[in-house]
Amino acid sequence: YLNDMMKSVVASFSKSTGSVSRADTIEGVTMLSPQESYADAQSRVSRWVESLVDESVGFGSPMAPFEVHVHGGDGWLETVMAAINSLLSLGFGYVTSGAEGSPSSKLIALLDRDRATLPLDGFSEFLDERRRRDRLKDVARVVRAARRRGQRLTLTVNSNFTKALQALKVHHAENWVGPSLEALWERMLLEQRVFAFELWLREPPPTEGGEAPAPRLIAADFGHAHTYGCAYYVATRFF
């Protein structure tokens, strides 16, 4: 166990790991180096999906974790965006961890068995599972019920990203999206590399001929398309 733990820690410092073999025991410390080749990272993921007990994987090294900074320069922001895209393509999710209000946070990869990833090139396959078809029927019932009450539900994409982030904080006071990730997302927004799918509720006018209230944001998903647009990952949401 200690041998595998130390090998994992040492490998996180190296730029070239060579071949990746199966661990002799269940790994106690799992680290992924940003300098590791994509092929070696894939080999590690193949091993971890069989043996990993903990869902999180350290990204960087124990002494120098990979960080997201509020005031990172253009070159660093490009590096962070490329790192996130590679992690998503490898099958990871991600979160950031840092003190409340801190200008920097650690990027942590997640290797959970259930990940909020949607294939975008397999519509028919997506509906093959009964639970997804049932979910679609549930959504249709909600839409019909709202229509009977004179309400309308509308879906927009990135129409008010800032307001959606503010609503996320209201709904989830302890959410993991801090100032550093917000700054990164704002930059990614300019390049259409992060998306907020916003669900709005539109109420009918209080009186006949009156003015309808402003639409109310009732849910939003924040995420990224990745792997050349073949999949979409939902990082977080509120509803």
Side-chain angles (χ1 to χ4, degrees):
Y1 174 85
L2 289 176
N3 182 47
D4 281 329
M5 180 179 72
M6 292 307 299
K7 284 195 296 185
S8 179
V9 172
V10 171
S12 70
F13 286 96
S14 65
K15 293 185 178 180
S16 177
T17 60
S19 61
V20 179
S21 59
R22 183 180 298 275
D24 298 323
T25 64
I26 295 176
E27 295 174 72
V29 176
T30 49
M31 304 292 298
L32 184 66
S33 170
Q35 287 79 34
E36 193 154 4
S37 71
Y38 193 85
D40 283 350
Q42 283 183 310
S43 297
R44 290 189 183 278
V45 171
S46 297
R47 187 182 73 201
W48 286 336
V49 294
E50 297 179 1
S51 62
L52 187 60
V53 174
D54 193 2
E55 298 173 356
S56 64
V57 174
F59 191 53
S61 69
M63 300 299 293
F66 191 92
E67 291 191 337
V68 181
H69 300 278
V70 169
H71 304 296
D74 289 345
W76 180 244
L77 289 173
E78 288 292 336
T79 298
V80 176
M81 286 190 281
I84 289 177
N85 187 67
S86 294
L87 288 174
L88 296 179
S89 295
L90 285 165
F92 288 104
Y94 77 91
V95 295
T96 55
S97 175
E100 185 176 354
S102 173
S104 65
S105 58
K106 293 186 294 184
L107 182 64
I108 300 173
L110 301 177
L111 192 60
D112 196 355
R113 293 188 182 277
D114 296 318
R115 289 179 287 273
T117 296
L118 175 69
L120 299 179
D121 57 352
F123 178 76
S124 59
E125 293 179 11
F126 179 77
L127 292 177
D128 281 346
E129 291 192 27
R130 180 175 177 178
R131 63 184 181 87
R132 290 172 175 164
R133 295 196 301 272
D134 290 343
R135 184 65 172 169
L136 186 60
K137 292 177 183 178
D138 291 339
V139 171
R141 280 194 289 268
V142 170
V143 172
R144 287 195 298 269
R147 188 178 301 154
R148 286 194 293 269
R149 294 192 294 268
Q151 300 169 324
R152 284 194 306 125
L153 293 167
T154 56
L155 183 68
T156 58
V157 182
N158 290 351
S159 68
N160 197 330
F161 195 87
T162 300
K163 183 172 183 177
L165 275 178
Q166 292 171 347
L168 174 67
K169 293 179 181 179
V170 171
H171 282 77
H172 301 302
E174 298 181 358
N175 78 86
W176 51 267
V177 180
S180 58
L181 187 59
E182 286 184 30
L184 176 65
W185 280 1
E186 292 287 352
R187 171 62 185 274
M188 296 177 80
L189 181 65
L190 299 176
E191 302 183 18
Q192 296 186 337
R193 296 172 72 172
V194 65
F195 301 92
F197 284 78
E198 308 136 345
L199 184 63
W200 304 84
L201 179 64
R202 299 176 182 271
E203 299 280 1
T207 59
E208 187 174 350
E211 186 176 348
R216 180 163 53 93
L217 182 63
I218 60 173
D221 280 6
F222 300 84
H224 316 273
H226 64 89
T227 316
Y228 304 104
C230 292
Y232 186 82
Y233 171 72
V234 179
T236 189
R237 62 168 46 135
F238 76 86
F239 54 90

